[in-house]
Amino acid sequence: MKELFINKVKAFIEHNGLIDGSAPVLVALSGGADSVALLRVLLELGYDCRAAHCNFHLRGEESNRDERFVTQLCQRLGVTLHVKHFDVPAFMAQHGVSLEMACRTLRYEWFEHLRRELGCDCIAVAHHNDDNIETFFLNALRGTGIAGLTGMKPRNGAVVRPLLCVARSEILDWLKALDQDFVTDSTNLENDARRNRLRNIVLPALYGEFDGAKDALLTTIDNLTRCNELYIESVGVMRNIVSDHKGDSLVIDLEILNSFTSREMLLFEILKPLGFNYDQCCDMLTSAVGRHFVTATHKAAINRNNIEVFPLKQDDTKVYIVDLEQDEIAEPVALEISHISGTPFTPAMVNGKTAVAFSLDIMQCSEVLLRHWRDGDRFKPFGMNGSKLISDLFTDLKLSEKQKSDTWLLEADGEILWVLGYRAAQAFAVPKAASNYLIVRMK
């Protein structure tokens, strides 16, 4: 029994290339049966292990009991243990996340920090194939694509799962054979969480009604994993046909995209790595020209013949206060400010695009700033009656979405004075033959 379990895990690690053994392994150790079995089997296989335990202080004395248990276990096994205490409620309040997400984020951020600090090869966590079946059902119940039905992967970056090849029952049998005790998280017995209800109620009933259901589900997950690999390869080929990279933007030809039967799914697979969801991708294909879709990192703009996607810059919504008393402005764009005195102004001194002139009245403004354009922005172009939408100016200039995103506006007390690089406004125009004024140039 002992050798069978060890050899099964050993073969799984080697087949998936999970641990190379050249550096220590950081083992996530909660004190429960799964993590204790993981630590014990990795030690049996000869790996140099370090243990990491999170105390979230969410279960009162039980949390401290777990810490005492793992401390004594590691002392007995001769394993270095690292313990971290967390204030979960404070993190939840600060970041506005759920309890589960807070614990997950805190746990894995610390694990990765510790892995780098200790020079460990990987972070070993104790998920087994029962966990994989639960993940399959939870994702299916949320509504998911093929990738969500493939369960957990043996490796995800630096995180490895050596026990995905074994069942919870095998883990318990092996620990019994070792005469190894463990602690039980009492919250796992409560059925208030979706996963617990699935684990404690739904799946036992399913297995009781259908012989061989568990093995069949594991086979299905394995088949879906291979189908997903083929699907990803196929999408990769189609992505090369559909998309065209221009600088750091992505241009998707709508005519080519529309030639595919599952165009929504193809667009989703192309844009999913950039944070766009399936519903957004469906909306993109039916939206009017000019509409924008935004994620935390990217913006997609609907054009007549294509969808242009480009990164959001950190300063997309940031404003920069401009001190016109200075001779130079360094950011966000380099500007040179000339304070002219005694020389009569002539229009030939500026071009209205990269060099503009302002009367000294501008110095009386309470706030002068640089910012990116926003939907609905208007200005009064020099030499034109009335106002004009900045977006219409961009259309006249045939600017791409990336060029629009890169454009800066100079604004004084809420009025746009200059679309840098393209057009000046009438505001604060220099009177004819005036001898005191400012000239601002893009460097």
Side-chain angles (χ1 to χ4, degrees):
M1 169 61 197
K2 292 181 182 179
E3 290 302 317
L4 181 63
F5 185 89
I6 293 171
N7 290 336
K8 192 173 183 179
V9 175
K10 180 176 184 289
F12 185 77
I13 291 173
E14 292 175 351
H15 176 74
N16 292 282
L18 300 185
I19 306 173
D20 64 18
S22 62
V25 178
L26 183 64
V27 180
L29 184 64
S30 68
D34 306 335
S35 66
V36 171
L38 175 63
L39 178 62
R40 289 296 307 265
V41 75
L42 292 181
L43 290 173
E44 290 283 347
L45 290 171
Y47 292 110
D48 180 12
C49 296
R50 309 286 187 270
H53 177 76
C54 300
N55 190 334
F56 294 116
H57 295 281
L58 296 175
R59 292 176 286 119
E61 172 56 26
E62 190 174 286
S63 294
N64 296 326
R65 176 211 64 183
D66 294 353
E67 183 180 331
R68 290 193 298 271
F69 173 81
V70 297
T71 300
Q72 294 167 3
L73 175 66
C74 288
Q75 287 174 348
R76 181 166 61 83
L77 297 175
V79 173
T80 302
L81 173 67
H82 300 267
V83 177
K84 181 79 169 179
H85 296 258
F86 295 99
D87 186 344
V88 179
F91 185 88
M92 292 170 64
Q94 180 180 356
H95 297 276
V97 296
S98 66
L99 175 64
E100 183 180 6
M101 182 57 68
C103 292
R104 176 181 173 80
T105 301
L106 289 169
R107 178 190 300 120
Y108 281 101
E109 284 184 354
W110 178 56
F111 287 164
E112 177 58 20
H113 172 78
L114 196 57
R115 182 188 74 83
R116 293 175 181 271
E117 182 181 281
L118 300 177
C120 292
D121 170 51
C122 57
I123 303 162
V125 295
H127 295 122
H128 45 76
N129 61 29
D130 290 85
D131 293 321
N132 230 5
I133 292 174
E134 292 168 12
T135 300
F136 168 87
F137 275 103
L138 287 172
N139 288 343
L141 291 170
R142 291 188 189 104
T144 187
I146 187 172
L149 298 176
T150 60
M152 292 177 282
K153 306 296 181 290
R155 172 182 287 276
N156 182 14
V159 177
V160 298
R161 300 181 172 92
L163 299 185
L164 277 185
C165 60
V166 296
R168 167 78 172 183
S169 59
E170 293 177 273
I171 289 172
L172 294 175
D173 288 344
W174 189 64
L175 290 176
K176 185 177 181 180
L178 292 177
D179 196 24
Q180 172 65 62
D181 58 346
F182 52 87
V183 294
T184 299
D185 183 342
S186 61
T187 62
N188 289 337
L189 304 177
E190 299 170 359
N191 293 324
D192 53 344
R194 286 167 63 92
R195 184 178 286 272
N196 284 3
R197 292 199 297 274
L198 190 64
R199 175 185 300 156
N200 300 331
I201 302 172
V202 177
L203 289 178
L206 181 69
Y207 298 153
E209 291 293 329
F210 299 96
D211 291 340
K214 182 177 178 181
D215 289 338
L217 286 167
L218 291 172
T219 300
T220 297
I221 292 172
D222 186 56
N223 290 339
L224 285 167
T225 299
R226 282 179 281 154
C227 288
N228 190 51
E229 291 169 355
L230 178 60
Y231 173 71
I232 291 171
E233 290 176 2
S234 301
V235 168
V237 173
M238 290 185 283
R239 182 184 285 117
N240 292 333
I241 297 171
V242 172
S243 58
D244 176 33
H245 288 276
K246 291 187 177 180
D248 55 359
S249 64
L250 179 69
V251 181
I252 301 170
D253 189 305
L254 284 171
E255 183 179 358
I256 298 176
L257 180 63
N258 288 331
S259 69
F260 288 87
T261 303
S262 299
R263 58 182 190 149
E264 295 88 355
M265 185 58 71
L266 177 56
L267 181 61
F268 173 57
E269 290 297 335
I270 294 170
L271 298 184
K272 179 171 61 175
L274 306 181
F276 294 95
N277 61 43
Y278 182 74
D279 289 339
Q280 285 178 307
C281 293
C282 291
D283 287 345
M284 288 180 198
L285 294 172
T286 57
S287 292
V289 171
R291 187 173 173 190
H292 291 164
F293 296 82
V294 179
T295 69
T297 59
H298 285 76
K299 177 189 286 187
I302 310 304
N303 300 323
R304 189 174 302 278
N305 299 314
N306 58 52
I307 299 173
E308 186 176 2
V309 187
F310 49 92
L312 291 174
K313 296 181 289 296
Q314 289 184 348
D315 55 9
D316 271 348
T317 58
K318 188 175 180 180
V319 298
Y320 292 80
I321 303 301
V322 175
D323 182 1
L324 293 176
E325 298 285 355
Q326 303 295 317
D327 294 328
E328 289 187 348
I329 301 297
E331 61 175 352
V333 287
L335 299 177
E336 180 182 81
I337 303 174
S338 300
H339 299 256
I340 310 298
S341 178
T343 301
F345 174 75
T346 63
M349 291 178 171
V350 295
N351 60 20
K353 296 181 179 179
T354 58
V356 296
F358 298 108
S359 72
L360 292 184
D361 291 341
I362 195 174
M363 304 297 289
Q364 305 305 313
C365 292
S366 59
E367 184 177 70
V368 180
L369 54 87
L370 284 163
R371 65 169 174 84
H372 283 299
W373 77 283
R374 303 166 187 151
D375 287 340
D377 275 340
R378 282 184 172 273
F379 79 130
K380 297 176 181 178
F382 195 84
M384 173 181 165
N385 292 326
S387 65
K388 186 182 185 75
L389 282 168
I390 298 290
S391 58
D392 288 343
L393 172 67
F394 288 162
T395 299
D396 295 343
L397 295 169
K398 296 182 170 57
L399 299 189
S400 70
E401 290 297 327
K402 179 67 166 55
Q403 289 172 313
K404 296 175 189 177
S405 175
D406 287 341
T407 299
W408 289 92
L409 308 180
L410 183 71
E411 176 184 293
D413 288 350
E415 185 169 9
I416 296 170
L417 311 183
W418 181 21
V419 183
L420 275 69
Y422 299 108
R423 195 76 182 266
Q426 297 181 23
F428 301 104
V430 181
K432 200 171 186 178
S435 342
N436 297 298
Y437 48 91
L438 301 180
I439 291 181
V440 184
R441 290 185 176 86
M442 296 175 66
K443 294 179 64 174

